[in-house]
Amino acid sequence: MKIAQICPRYSPDIGGVETHVKEISERLVKAGHDVEVITTDPTGKLKKQEIINGVKVTRFRSFAPGNAYYLAPQIYTYLKKHDYDIIHAHSYHAFPAFFASLGRSNAKFVFTPHYHRHGHTAFRDLLHKPYRFLGKIIFSRADSVICVSEYEKKLVESDFEVAAKTVKIPNGLNLKEFKDLRQPGKSSNKDAGREKLLLYVGRLEEYKGVQYIIQSLPELKGFRLKIIGKGPYEAELRNMTKSFGVEERVEWLKDLSRNKLLECYADADIFLMLSSHEAYGITVAEALAAGTPCIVAEGSALEEFVDGMNCIGIENPVSKEKVASILMKIKKKEKKENSGIDKNIMDWNEVSARIEKQYIKDKN
């Protein structure tokens, strides 16, 4: 099949949607399909066309104020000039999917919305109401809608009445790369005499809830925090560490190699993701696969990882007091071995195979 994957950003940019598209695209190429990723580059610094691990990548300059929207109507024109068997658009929360839905021609149109109902800021959340009209067009033109969690599936069906089209295929991991991390003794540096290491990995945006971890640190003697990521909220978070007097207990990292990131997951005592809205939660899945217990905010797809043992939920609204309280309780408890890979975690090979079957089903 000739397949077009449409997404706001792609490698070398990183993020949940970027990872999802990259992992399935490269596996679809290995399965013998002709795959082209059509994406945007707001900076204009990346190559307009290149081949990455067998995947043809085509980039168009986009208007993306605040790293949002990714307005690139050229995608519509490009799709109209080329023939595909499948056009698979990703992310409800940016314009490329809308242009893909209009430019589909005779191709079957598959949509993975990565939908969480809200914008990442108050202003972007306000814009969601008028954008809903365009969103309905995308869903109405889709032959199938692939959701990455049961939470997202229910949201989509409630907001857009497309239950007949929806199918759940979760995000995945490369489970082989976590195998060695879970071997006994691999994280033997987690001894009782040292400070407990808290870890956050992800975009630095206010809705991600990193501020609650920082604000709780004054009450958490014997804890330090490692933050891996970048984003528009970084400067404010750094100022927060100074105002709360915990600057020396917070380490900032970004642009790590994959191996180094995996080591950080394994070395951490507790991983925290306190995001107010998520359609899945790849970093939580990675932490759990590395054998590190997690604390997540409830009220989104993150709560699907909560089992009361390996992953504990915090009720919304999240506060520094709630974070401090639950971390002190965990500190007093005896360390338990992670009981195994979470049932929600699937290997990317299986994810890609399921998506390929959906393409075939839609095509026929």
Side-chain angles (χ1 to χ4, degrees), residues 11-304:
S11 181
D13 290 317
I14 58 173
V17 176
E18 293 87 340
T19 298
H20 180 103
V21 178
K22 185 176 188 293
E23 296 291 350
I24 66 171
S25 295
E26 292 180 2
R27 283 165 175 77
L28 287 167
V29 166
K30 289 180 180 179
H33 302 290
D34 181 358
V35 181
E36 179 179 8
V37 171
I38 300 168
T39 187
T40 86
D41 172 25
T43 68
K45 296 179 180 179
L46 300 174
K47 292 180 180 179
K48 293 182 179 179
Q49 281 199 328
E50 64 178 321
I51 305 294
I52 302 177
N53 296 332
V55 178
K56 180 182 178 181
V57 181
T58 300
R59 299 185 181 91
F60 293 101
R61 190 70 182 268
S62 67
F63 176 62
N67 289 319
Y69 312 118
Y70 301 93
L71 189 63
Q74 311 95 303
I75 290 175
Y76 165 80
T77 306
Y78 186 83
L79 291 174
K80 281 295 187 182
K81 292 179 179 178
H82 296 78
D83 292 323
Y84 301 94
D85 296 302
I86 301 288
I87 292 178
H88 187 169
H90 300 260
S91 185
Y92 170 91
H93 305 275
F95 280 100
F98 174 68
F99 296 124
S101 71
L102 299 181
R104 59 176 293 183
S105 297
N106 294 321
K108 293 298 181 180
F109 180 55
V110 180
F111 185 33
T112 299
H114 303 274
Y115 179 71
H116 44 66
R117 187 179 279 168
H118 300 287
H120 293 170
T121 66
F123 177 67
R124 284 157 68 177
D125 196 40
L126 185 64
L127 291 178
H128 260 244
K129 293 180 179 179
Y131 183 75
R132 182 68 62 88
F133 172 74
L134 301 183
K136 287 182 178 179
I137 293 175
I138 304 173
F139 281 104
S140 69
R141 296 178 69 85
D143 293 288
S144 62
V145 177
I146 298 176
C147 299
V148 296
S149 66
E150 193 62 34
Y151 174 84
E152 182 196 12
K153 186 171 179 286
K154 289 178 180 177
L155 277 187
V156 165
E157 291 174 354
S158 172
D159 291 357
F160 299 98
E161 299 178 352
V162 288
K165 299 181 181 182
T166 56
V167 57
K168 175 189 167 184
I169 304 177
N171 281 318
L173 298 182
N174 298 318
L175 293 179
K176 283 185 178 179
E177 67 181 358
F178 291 91
K179 186 177 180 181
D180 291 341
L181 293 176
R182 297 178 62 85
Q183 290 179 356
K186 185 70 176 180
S187 300
S188 56
N189 59 331
K190 296 181 181 180
D191 57 83
R194 68 173 182 88
E195 286 184 308
K196 294 290 184 182
L197 176 58
L198 307 177
L199 177 66
Y200 169 84
V201 178
R203 286 274 297 165
L204 301 182
E205 305 226 30
E206 187 174 4
Y207 81 95
K208 291 287 189 177
V210 187
Q211 63 271 26
Y212 302 118
I213 312 173
I214 292 172
Q215 292 166 7
S216 71
L217 283 178
E219 305 299 321
L220 296 170
K221 306 305 179 185
F223 284 87
R224 59 191 177 92
L225 170 63
K226 182 178 290 185
I227 297 174
I228 302 175
K230 52 188 175 182
Y233 200 44
E234 180 176 348
E236 190 164 342
L237 289 173
R238 284 181 177 271
N239 288 333
M240 198 177 294
T241 64
K242 296 176 183 178
S243 63
F244 277 80
V246 295
E247 188 177 8
E248 299 301 319
R249 294 164 60 194
V250 179
E251 181 181 1
W252 304 82
L253 298 170
K254 63 182 70 174
D255 300 323
L256 298 184
S257 68
R258 184 62 180 167
N259 286 339
K260 183 61 179 176
L261 176 61
L262 292 175
E263 289 177 8
C264 289
Y265 278 126
D267 289 343
D269 292 286
I270 302 168
F271 179 87
L272 295 100
M273 175 57 73
L274 307 178
S275 178
S276 57
H277 42 269
E278 295 288 338
Y280 180 74
I282 285 181
T283 56
V284 177
E286 289 181 333
L288 289 171
T292 299
C294 297
I295 296 174
V296 302
E298 296 177 350
S300 77
L302 296 178
E303 67 183 42
E304 294 182 19

